[in-house]
Amino acid sequence: MQAHRLEFSLLQDELSVCRLTPTAPIPEWSQNPGAFSCITRTREELSIVCASENVPADVQAEHKWIAFKLQGPFPFAQTGVLSSFIEPLSGNGIPIFAISTYDTDYVLIKADARSSALAFLREAGHTLI
């Protein structure tokens, strides 16, 4: 498999990954037009990723995440894009949380791993723009 050399940017907001019950309504605090958010409902949970500043204190959440945005769009038939980006991170012990959209991918890491993650990504040939 050919390794992809990708351009990526760093989103500005600190994010939280929240877990609500599967039947919970989508809360107002999770929706901020123009800001990054991801809402996924399954039979087991309602998962929300949004700006940490919006999350109420009583919500089950993992805080202090940052997000890298891969510069897409990527065709659906193109393979290996996400794996070429996350391998330098996971291979060096940095946990990731990946989110894919129609056009691109976002990779979340804990904020305290930012410096080392950027170094590993640059070493792998990826470019922060």
Side-chain angles (χ1 to χ4, degrees):
M1 176 176 71
Q2 177 186 1
H4 297 277
R5 303 293 179 237
L6 303 168
E7 291 184 336
F8 67 99
S9 57
L10 177 61
L11 301 186
Q12 296 302 310
D13 288 334
E14 182 178 282
L15 302 171
S16 292
V17 180
C18 309
R19 184 186 193 286
L20 287 81
T21 63
T23 57
I26 296 172
E28 280 284 323
W29 53 261
S30 69
Q31 302 174 59
N32 184 3
F36 181 85
S37 67
C38 179
I39 300 170
T40 306
R41 186 183 303 274
T42 68
R43 290 183 178 170
E44 294 80 26
E45 67 181 297
L46 173 61
S47 180
I48 297 173
V49 178
C50 66
S52 295
E53 64 188 24
N54 296 343
V55 180
D58 63 341
V59 171
Q60 180 181 351
E62 287 283 328
H63 301 287
K64 298 187 186 261
W65 292 86
I66 58 172
F68 298 128
K69 176 186 177 186
L70 281 60
Q71 292 305 116
F74 302 110
F76 283 110
Q78 188 173 358
T79 62
V81 173
L82 185 57
S83 63
S84 70
F85 192 80
I86 64 173
E87 196 289 322
L89 302 173
S90 62
N92 286 289
I94 297 178
I96 64 103
F97 184 93
I99 297 173
S100 295
T101 67
Y102 190 91
D103 286 333
T104 194
D105 297 299
Y106 295 82
V107 175
L108 282 64
I109 63 165
K110 294 299 268 188
D112 62 1
R114 178 183 179 193
S115 295
S116 55
L118 288 171
F120 295 137
L121 291 168
R122 284 187 191 108
E123 186 177 298
H126 303 303
T127 306
L128 177 64
I129 56 172

